[in-house]
Amino acid sequence: MTFLYKANTVRGMEWASLFSRHAPDLPFRLWPDIGDPAEVRYLAVWKPPDDIAATFPNLELVFSVGAGVDQFDVSKLPAHVPLVRMLEPGITETMVQYATMAVLALHRDLVAFIAQQRDRVWREIRVTPAAKRRVGVMGLGLLGQAVLEGLKSFGFPLAGWNRSPRSIEGVSCYAGNDALPEFLAQTDILVCLLPLTDETRGILNASLFAQLPPGARLVNVGRGAHLVEADLIAALERGVLSAAVLDVAEAEPLPADHPFWNHPRILLTPHNASMTTPETAVEFVLDTIARHRRGEALPGRVDRERGY
């Protein structure tokens, strides 16, 4: 019975040390040293290996090392094998930090100031009070709700949009496609934290941007495929949007000739808005394995019909 880790090697070595301390009876292997594939019962992975079912015939649990699972083709995963997305405090904490940073950077015109510094321009930009800068979050799952909670202290009017209804104190909540235009019309800074599904792929497009107030700003910390990149460039060039902070892209790493690299109204980071903390991730994984062995419900278990 083996636990196999296939993701960042440096963090994998930290996982190995933690497993030896907290679960010494469970053999731990770090990809590509898989040992006997028939012994692998548990797999923690970012990019799954090809043909999981045939490679690991006795697999019992698969963990995504991140909060998302869109990198999985669930049709290749046996129906009896649960897929579990990572639920651990490190992911939430780092996402709240990043989203807060991004919203404040857009609110206080940091993207514009960086461009001015590059051009050696000394020009002040009038400050807009937080009470007059409306922030909307798309996706009201665990991360979306945590981000909204983290933003409350700054005094922004807050709104949230979700596929299904939510109720959050201090937040105007909207649900379903019919409510999306009303949500967008009152959003000056839009934060995308949606899961990537067939319904949300390409949702950040020209039509959506046109429903935002003129000069609105965008934060995408969901997935690159949420965004139609050419539509973003066009919206920035026409002033439909005034700036964007992007942590994800359609192609990662971003190609060297991609226009995002040098665009003066885009602040770009390399898909590290949130990151699992090995200590709490291993604690979550071991607890989930114990629950699975006892036949209990698994926190973070993915609904394959919904895709998250």
Side-chain angles (χ1 to χ4, degrees):
M1 182 179 295
T2 300
F3 187 101
L4 176 63
Y5 177 96
K6 182 183 183 293
N8 180 280
T9 302
V10 173
R11 289 199 291 276
M13 294 176 69
E14 295 182 54
W15 278 54
S17 176
L18 290 161
F19 262 75
S20 67
R21 188 186 318 158
H22 298 294
D25 296 331
L26 179 57
F28 182 96
R29 287 187 174 271
L30 187 59
W31 183 278
D33 177 23
I34 67 174
D36 181 357
E39 289 294 317
V40 175
R41 299 293 194 276
Y42 312 109
L43 173 65
V45 59
W46 175 243
K47 292 186 177 179
D50 294 331
D51 205 355
I52 290 179
T55 305
F56 306 112
N58 297 312
L59 199 60
E60 297 180 16
L61 270 177
V62 177
F63 295 89
S64 170
V65 297
V69 294
D70 53 276
Q71 70 273 33
F72 287 87
D73 181 349
V74 294
S75 68
K76 295 182 178 180
L77 195 62
H80 70 278
V81 178
L83 173 60
V84 177
R85 57 191 176 88
M86 189 63 63
L87 296 181
E88 63 92 15
I91 289 179
T92 304
E93 180 181 350
T94 51
M95 180 58 78
V96 171
Q97 291 170 355
Y98 185 97
T100 301
M101 174 197 73
V103 168
L104 290 175
L106 292 173
H107 169 57
R108 291 303 309 268
D109 299 297
L110 183 62
V111 177
F113 285 128
I114 291 172
Q116 286 186 184
Q117 180 180 349
R118 187 183 303 120
D119 295 337
R120 302 188 181 191
V121 173
W122 186 276
R123 181 173 61 236
E124 68 178 31
I125 299 173
R126 184 170 179 174
V127 175
T128 297
K132 294 184 178 181
R133 187 84 76 185
R134 300 162 296 179
V135 179
V137 174
M138 298 180 76
L140 300 180
L142 178 67
L143 294 180
Q145 292 188 48
V147 165
L148 284 163
E149 187 64 33
L151 290 171
K152 284 181 178 179
S153 65
F154 296 98
F156 299 113
L158 299 174
W161 180 85
N162 203 58
R163 181 172 124 172
S164 55
R166 293 283 191 275
S167 179
I168 305 171
E169 185 178 355
V171 178
S172 299
C173 292
Y174 299 83
N177 291 333
D178 290 344
L180 183 57
E182 184 180 357
F183 163 78
L184 294 172
Q186 60 172 336
T187 297
D188 300 309
I189 299 177
L190 178 65
V191 181
C192 178
L193 267 165
L194 291 166
L196 181 62
T197 65
D198 290 341
E199 292 180 348
T200 64
R201 187 178 300 273
I203 193 171
L204 302 176
N205 56 34
S207 175
L208 181 142
F209 299 150
Q211 297 177 71
L212 293 165
R217 295 123 198 255
L218 172 68
V219 179
N220 189 15
V221 280
R223 289 289 186 264
H226 283 128
L227 175 65
V228 179
E229 295 180 346
D231 287 2
L232 173 63
I233 295 293
L236 290 169
E237 294 302 320
R238 295 199 309 268
V240 175
L241 297 180
S242 60
V245 177
L246 308 176
D247 185 57
V248 289
E250 182 73 40
E252 296 178 1
L254 202 67
D257 61 349
H258 198 285
F260 284 178
W261 283 117
N262 297 314
H263 200 288
R265 296 185 184 90
I266 293 176
L267 183 59
L268 184 69
T269 55
H271 201 153
N272 70 335
S274 66
M275 191 173 293
T276 56
T277 302
E279 291 83 355
T280 47
V282 168
E283 181 180 340
F284 169 76
V285 164
L286 292 177
D287 177 70
T288 303
I289 289 173
R291 290 172 182 266
H292 181 65
R293 289 174 175 173
R294 295 192 298 264
E296 299 174 2
L298 305 180
R301 182 168 184 165
V302 172
D303 182 331
R304 299 194 186 197
E305 292 297 318
R306 295 194 303 172
Y308 56 92

